[in-house]
Amino acid sequence: MHDSVQTTKARLAALALAALGLAFLVSLGAWSLGDRLEDATLYFPSYRTGSLRGETRALPRVRGAEARAELVASELLLGPGAPGLLPAFPAGVRVEASLYRKGRLYLDLSEDAALSGRADLERGLSALRRSVKAALPLAKGVVVTIGGRLPYADYPEPEPPADGPEAAR
């Protein structure tokens, strides 16, 4: 009778150990498959003031600075989801390339981005830089090109008209 009690106790201990092992494997699997999303703050112009306002989105977790920047930029190009915010760029703009070298991120947008007026384009570029910088805080800088060229690099700031306020002095 003593042996059967010992055998029963050993079986119960083995069964408990197997249940613990199974629970561990299930929780490990859930942990490794779960939490595939992470929050990112995207900045869009406000309808009322034109200033940039943040919108939080849950984005898929990706590896690498280039992939993260491209995902954040692509989400920004889709436009805002919250009311009271405006798109940062015209519809149809795409991310053509992203490159991360020596702490600096380079993003190239399709030429459709240049279809905005200067003020809207500058606001859109600011929204893009701020969104990417928020997603990659260790990046030393964000350089955005359109069709492979720096926006307005070939065109200096326009001169104020000669009959403007400065001419009245």
Side-chain angles (χ1 to χ4, degrees):
M1 173 112 171
H2 185 62
D3 285 340
S4 67
V5 171
Q6 290 289 5
T7 305
T8 303
K9 284 185 179 180
R11 285 184 181 165
L12 285 175
L15 186 60
L17 188 59
L20 277 173
L22 181 61
F24 173 74
L25 288 175
V26 168
S27 67
L28 178 65
W31 173 78
S32 67
L33 294 176
D35 200 25
R36 296 286 186 199
L37 299 175
E38 61 184 337
D39 287 342
T41 302
L42 306 177
Y43 292 90
F44 295 96
S46 167
Y47 177 75
R48 289 187 184 164
T49 64
S51 63
L52 298 180
R53 288 193 29 223
E55 175 181 291
T56 302
R57 288 197 192 163
L59 301 181
R61 188 178 299 272
V62 294
R63 291 182 180 252
E66 291 171 358
R68 178 86 173 141
E70 194 162 337
L71 177 63
V72 167
S74 295
E75 282 290 320
L76 180 86
L77 294 174
L78 289 175
L85 300 178
L86 298 170
F89 291 94
V93 177
R94 300 174 318 281
V95 177
E96 297 289 344
S98 63
L99 181 69
Y100 186 75
R101 294 293 182 265
K102 297 183 181 179
R104 194 170 294 278
L105 179 72
Y106 300 88
L107 279 171
D108 185 44
L109 302 180
S110 62
E111 292 181 357
D112 299 339
L115 297 178
S116 297
R118 187 176 188 123
D120 289 339
L121 178 57
E122 287 176 354
R123 193 172 14 257
L125 292 171
S126 179
L128 178 59
R129 285 187 196 101
R130 188 166 176 190
S131 299
V132 170
K133 187 68 175 153
L136 298 168
L138 298 179
K140 294 176 187 174
V142 178
V143 177
V144 181
T145 57
I146 298 174
R149 303 177 82 182
L150 290 171
Y152 303 112
D154 296 335
Y155 305 98
E157 287 286 324
E159 294 291 325
D163 59 340
E166 292 83 19
R169 292 185 191 174

